[in-house]
């Protein structure tokens, strides 16, 4: 690939270095591994740059998709798509409430600003795929359609994973709060 | 819409992702349910909290430089003194801006204008003014007599391991059984230009494909078998193997085609194709395997583009530009511009 192509690649891809690094941190939860992952991601993106069409696919979702693929490939997981065992079935959504255990509750009952450190700890305990969707939703501001492209899944799956991820974070924070005797309002 | 149903769509509503009808239904519900109004606000509060928590992860200052160096290495460009091109980070963003203020070792940049007359003369002499990379005979070949190159032994090991352990079950069912579809899906997953040649004319039928790679090199592995002799044949696509760029292995003249004759081990033929290396491995005579590889490469370098293998041609403009930028004819790699149509 000639230098002009490299320049074009840098122009398109480099502005998203910070976003890619954040996503890498979310996936790996380790600084050194995240840096290696970012480097490998940009190398792979550079290799495939000639096949990238900006008008069909934003640069940031494209890079994040490569990042995700690279993460799972390097971890040796990605011969098949990862299976999340507790994804929400939106066709039987009501069961989420009927089967809910007393420890669960809505995220709406938490004062988020009070629990910054605890929030980070709760995020660290999530499965990487849930952390990824939360990051793409909350920090990168991707649309559901873009998140679906990055995560290689259907729109419904994005919605269900976001729902589940939010519930899991809320559940963990409530556990932290109860363990510390905080006044966490319970959903009834 | 009741509260249960609203909670199902709460996140999408708060994010503005609902279609018109569902949005109207949600708004109608909120008019009558202050509790659900609070729930929507809290979803947004969580979003803000997450953004706050994650935004503190600053990108390391040297990461931009590391990534840039990696890309330059991937590109394989060299200055006249053999070092990488000038590595002054020129990227925007705080990491790049910070890196620019640091002392960086200065390296000379190639002034490519100076190579124009040299390149044009070289192009005329080497006869690369046209789309055919070689008009007759084989390209320069490096023959390995000892087979000591790691990529060669790795390919043999992987070939034997897969046919022994999996045999006819060597296939990822999500890849389909259609050659072009396999190539497309593996290329998409691996960000490599994977080739899945049709060897039916040579008596080899597709057994299957998977993302085996070679050793710790990830890549594609397509397995074939001869219906008449039962001989197995493997085609690997991995990221560029640096030792195949130079004459760093075995004898030969540093050509881009590497041949390791079999004797009592499978024969291996490997070649560089842009940022990929393709390796074919089978226990058949070297001449037969080279003939099959020649067919693949000839098909790849003849217009029009051959969708089934994912390879494409190099235009005459790229041939000349390649000569101008690198000072040597490198007409054997596929064109990336042309491959955009795939």
């Amino acid at each position: 690939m000639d230098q002009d192509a490299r320049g074009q690649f840098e122009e398109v891809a480099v502005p998203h270095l910070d976003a890619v690094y954040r996503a890498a941190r979310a996936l790996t939860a380790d600084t050194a591994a995240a840096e290696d992952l970012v480097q490998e991601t940009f190398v792979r993106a550079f290799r495939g740059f000639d096949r990238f069409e900006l008008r069909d696919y934003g640069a940031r979702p494209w890079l994040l998709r490569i990042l995700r693929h690279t993460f799972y490939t390097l971890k040796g997981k990605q011969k098949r798509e990862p299976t999340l065992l507790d994804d929400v079935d939106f066709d039987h959504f009501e069961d989420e409430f009927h089967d809910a255990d007393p420890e669960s509750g809505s995220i709406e009952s938490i004062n988020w600003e009070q629990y910054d450190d605890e929030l980070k700890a709760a995020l660290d305990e999530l499965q990487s795929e849930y952390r990824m969707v939360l990051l793409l939703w909350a920090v990168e501001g991707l649309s559901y359609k873009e998140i679906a492209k990055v995560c290689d899944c259907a729109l419904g799956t994005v919605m269900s994973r976001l729902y589940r991820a939010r519930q899991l974070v809320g559940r963990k924070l409530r556990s932290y709060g109860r363990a510390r005797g905080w006044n966490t309002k319970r959903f009834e | 819409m009741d509260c249960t149903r609203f909670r199902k769509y709460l996140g999408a509503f708060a994010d503005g992702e609902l279609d018109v009808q569902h949005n109207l239904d949600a708004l109608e519900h909120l008019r009558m349910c202050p509790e659900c109004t609070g729930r929507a606000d809290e979803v947004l509060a969580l979003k803000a909290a997450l953004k706050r928590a994650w935004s503190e992860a600053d990108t390391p200052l040297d990461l931009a430089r590391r990534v840039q160096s990696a890309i330059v290495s991937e590109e394989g460009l060299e200055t006249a003194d053999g070092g990488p091109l000038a590595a002054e980070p020129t990227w925007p963003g705080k990491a790049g801006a910070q890196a620019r203020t640091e002392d960086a070792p200065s390296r000379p940049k190639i002034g490519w204008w100076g190579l124009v007359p040299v390149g044009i003369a070289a192009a005329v002499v080497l006869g690369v003014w046209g789309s055919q990379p070689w008009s007759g005979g084989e390209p320069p070949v490096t023959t390995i007599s000892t087979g000591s190159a790691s990529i060669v032994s790795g390919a043999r090991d992987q070939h034997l391991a897969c046919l022994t352990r999996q045999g006819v079950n060597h296939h990822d069912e999500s890849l389909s059984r259609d050659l072009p579809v396999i190539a497309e899906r593996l290329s998409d997953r691996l960000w490599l230009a994977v080739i899945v040649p049709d060897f039916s004319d040579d008596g080899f039928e597709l057994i299957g494909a998977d993302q085996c790679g070679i050793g710790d090199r990830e890549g594609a592995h397509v397995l074939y078998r001869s219906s008449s002799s039962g001989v197995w044949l493997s085609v690997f696509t991995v990221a560029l193997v640096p030792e195949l760029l130079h004459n760093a292995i075995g004898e030969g003249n540093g050509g881009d085609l590497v041949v390791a004759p079999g004797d009592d081990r499978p024969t291996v033929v490997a070649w560089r194709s842009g940022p990929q290396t393709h390796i074919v491995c089978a226990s058949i005579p070297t001449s037969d395997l080279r003939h099959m590889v020649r067919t693949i490469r000839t098909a790849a370098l003849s217009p029009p583009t051959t969708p089934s293998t994912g390879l494409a041609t190099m235009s005459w403009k790229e041939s000349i530009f390649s000569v101008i930028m690198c000072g040597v004819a490198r007409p054997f790699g596929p064109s990336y511009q042309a491959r955009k149509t795939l």
Side-chain angles (χ1 to χ4, degrees):
Chain A
M1 203 179 291
D2 53 49
Q3 278 190 301
D4 187 49
R6 180 157 61 91
Q8 288 174 19
F9 173 77
E10 290 180 4
E11 196 177 308
V12 166
V14 169
H16 305 290
L17 177 65
D18 292 340
V20 174
Y21 177 71
R22 279 194 295 268
R25 284 294 309 275
L27 283 173
T28 62
D30 173 78
T31 304
E35 292 183 27
D36 290 344
L37 182 58
V38 169
Q39 182 176 315
E40 182 65 22
T41 296
F42 273 88
V43 167
R44 288 174 186 231
F46 180 62
R47 280 182 208 148
F49 185 55
D50 60 302
R51 296 160 64 210
F52 169 64
E53 293 290 348
L54 186 62
R55 62 174 179 275
D56 294 332
Y57 208 149
R60 191 155 44 134
W62 174 64
L63 286 166
L64 292 171
R65 184 160 181 256
I66 297 173
L67 173 86
R68 183 179 169 276
H69 274 261
T70 305
F71 169 70
Y72 284 112
T73 301
L74 292 179
K75 280 183 73 79
K77 286 185 187 180
Q78 192 60 5
K79 285 204 170 194
R80 305 286 185 270
E81 286 297 320
T83 301
L84 295 177
L85 298 178
D86 56 353
D87 264 353
V88 171
D89 178 2
F90 262 31
D91 289 334
H92 300 95
F93 185 77
E94 293 73 16
D95 295 343
E96 283 292 305
F97 302 107
H98 296 154
D99 297 339
D101 63 67
E103 296 301 303
S104 74
S106 78
I107 62 165
E108 301 87 37
S109 59
I110 295 174
N111 181 354
W112 294 105
E113 290 190 9
Q114 188 178 350
Y115 303 134
D116 275 2
D117 291 338
E118 289 71 24
L119 177 58
K120 291 177 194 173
L123 291 170
D124 285 342
E125 290 185 27
L126 286 182
Q127 287 176 277
S128 52
E129 197 67 19
Y130 284 140
R131 271 203 304 274
M132 184 75 168
V133 293
L134 284 179
L135 174 90
L136 299 178
W137 166 67
V139 181
E140 305 309 332
L142 297 189
S143 68
Y144 285 15
K145 188 177 174 185
E146 288 171 330
I147 295 174
K149 279 196 172 178
V150 171
C151 297
D152 220 0
C153 63
L155 268 179
T157 305
V158 172
M159 290 175 62
S160 67
R161 284 185 187 174
L162 276 174
Y163 176 86
R164 177 59 81 200
R166 290 191 288 251
Q167 292 303 105
L168 287 172
V169 168
R171 192 178 299 166
K172 290 186 190 299
L173 282 179
R174 253 180 294 281
S175 296
Y176 285 126
R178 274 192 292 276
R180 289 157 182 77
W182 294 337
N183 181 20
T184 56
K185 180 183 169 187
R186 301 271 305 274
F187 171 73
E188 296 179 5
Chain B
M1 185 182 279
D2 59 16
C3 289
T4 300
R5 191 169 164 77
F6 177 77
R7 289 191 65 185
K8 180 177 177 179
Y9 295 112
L10 169 62
F13 170 77
D15 294 327
E17 293 273 357
L18 288 181
D19 58 40
V20 172
Q21 188 56 53
H22 280 98
N23 206 48
L24 288 172
D25 292 344
L27 287 169
E28 183 64 26
H29 175 76
L30 288 179
R31 283 196 318 115
M32 298 176 292
C33 184
E35 190 171 0
C36 283
T37 301
R39 289 181 178 136
D41 291 340
E42 292 301 329
V43 169
L44 296 176
L46 168 60
K47 198 171 187 177
L50 287 169
K51 188 165 187 169
R52 200 168 47 241
W54 262 317
S55 295
E56 294 175 9
D58 283 339
T59 308
L61 294 177
D62 67 337
L63 183 58
R65 195 201 305 269
R66 278 182 56 188
V67 171
Q68 189 179 30
S69 296
I71 291 173
V72 169
S73 298
E74 181 73 13
E75 194 177 18
L77 293 177
E78 292 183 352
T79 58
D81 65 0
L85 286 176
E88 289 293 331
T90 57
W91 292 358
K94 51 186 175 181
Q98 188 68 30
R100 275 199 297 279
T101 63
E102 296 171 0
D103 288 332
S106 62
R107 294 193 178 96
K109 290 187 180 182
I110 288 181
W112 71 274
W113 288 103
L115 289 176
V116 168
V118 174
I120 291 175
V124 172
V125 169
L126 293 169
V128 295
W129 194 279
S131 61
Q132 291 299 323
W134 66 85
S135 54
E138 284 276 10
V141 173
T142 294
T143 300
I144 306 169
S145 60
T146 60
S148 60
S150 63
I151 192 65
V152 172
S153 58
R156 284 174 171 150
D157 290 345
Q158 193 69 44
H159 167 78
L160 291 171
C162 285
L163 71 90
T164 302
R165 291 177 201 157
Q166 295 174 279
V168 296
N169 296 318
H170 181 271
H171 187 63
D172 178 347
E173 292 299 335
S174 68
L175 290 174
S176 159
R177 292 275 175 182
D178 185 72
L179 299 188
V181 175
I182 295 174
E184 182 184 350
R185 288 184 181 173
L186 283 173
S187 298
D188 192 49
R189 290 182 191 180
L190 295 167
W191 294 94
L192 296 170
V194 174
I195 59 170
V196 184
D198 183 354
F199 287 136
S200 53
D201 288 346
D202 300 289
F204 283 90
E205 302 301 326
L206 174 75
I207 295 298
D210 208 336
Q211 291 176 225
C212 306
I214 295 177
D216 60 356
R217 287 179 184 276
E218 65 154 355
H221 177 194
V222 189
L223 191 63
Y224 304 78
R225 192 175 186 193
S226 167
S227 51
S228 57
S229 65
V231 170
W232 298 80
L233 181 145
S234 287
V235 177
F236 297 96
T237 301
V238 296
L240 186 68
V241 178
E243 55 261 38
L244 290 182
L245 282 175
H246 311 286
N247 186 17
I249 48 174
E251 309 101 13
N253 57 0
D256 74 329
L257 188 69
V258 174
V259 176
D263 299 324
D264 59 342
R265 293 165 296 180
T267 303
V268 172
V269 177
W271 70 101
R272 177 198 174 190
S273 175
Q276 285 83 220
T277 295
H278 303 297
I279 302 118
V280 183
C281 176
S283 294
I284 62 177
T286 305
S287 56
D288 290 349
L289 197 59
R290 284 179 65 174
H291 172 76
M292 293 168 72
V293 168
R294 190 183 302 127
T295 304
I296 300 172
R297 300 186 75 193
T298 303
L301 293 164
S302 300
T305 302
T306 308
S308 63
T309 60
L311 301 181
T313 65
M314 177 178 277
S315 69
W316 67 267
K317 290 181 183 177
E318 288 185 278
S319 299
I320 298 305
F321 196 65
S322 174
V323 169
I324 290 170
M325 293 309 298
C326 302
V328 235
R330 288 196 302 164
F332 304 120
S335 158
Y336 303 105
Q337 295 298 323
R339 211 186 309 132
K340 271 185 180 177
T341 60
L342 294 178

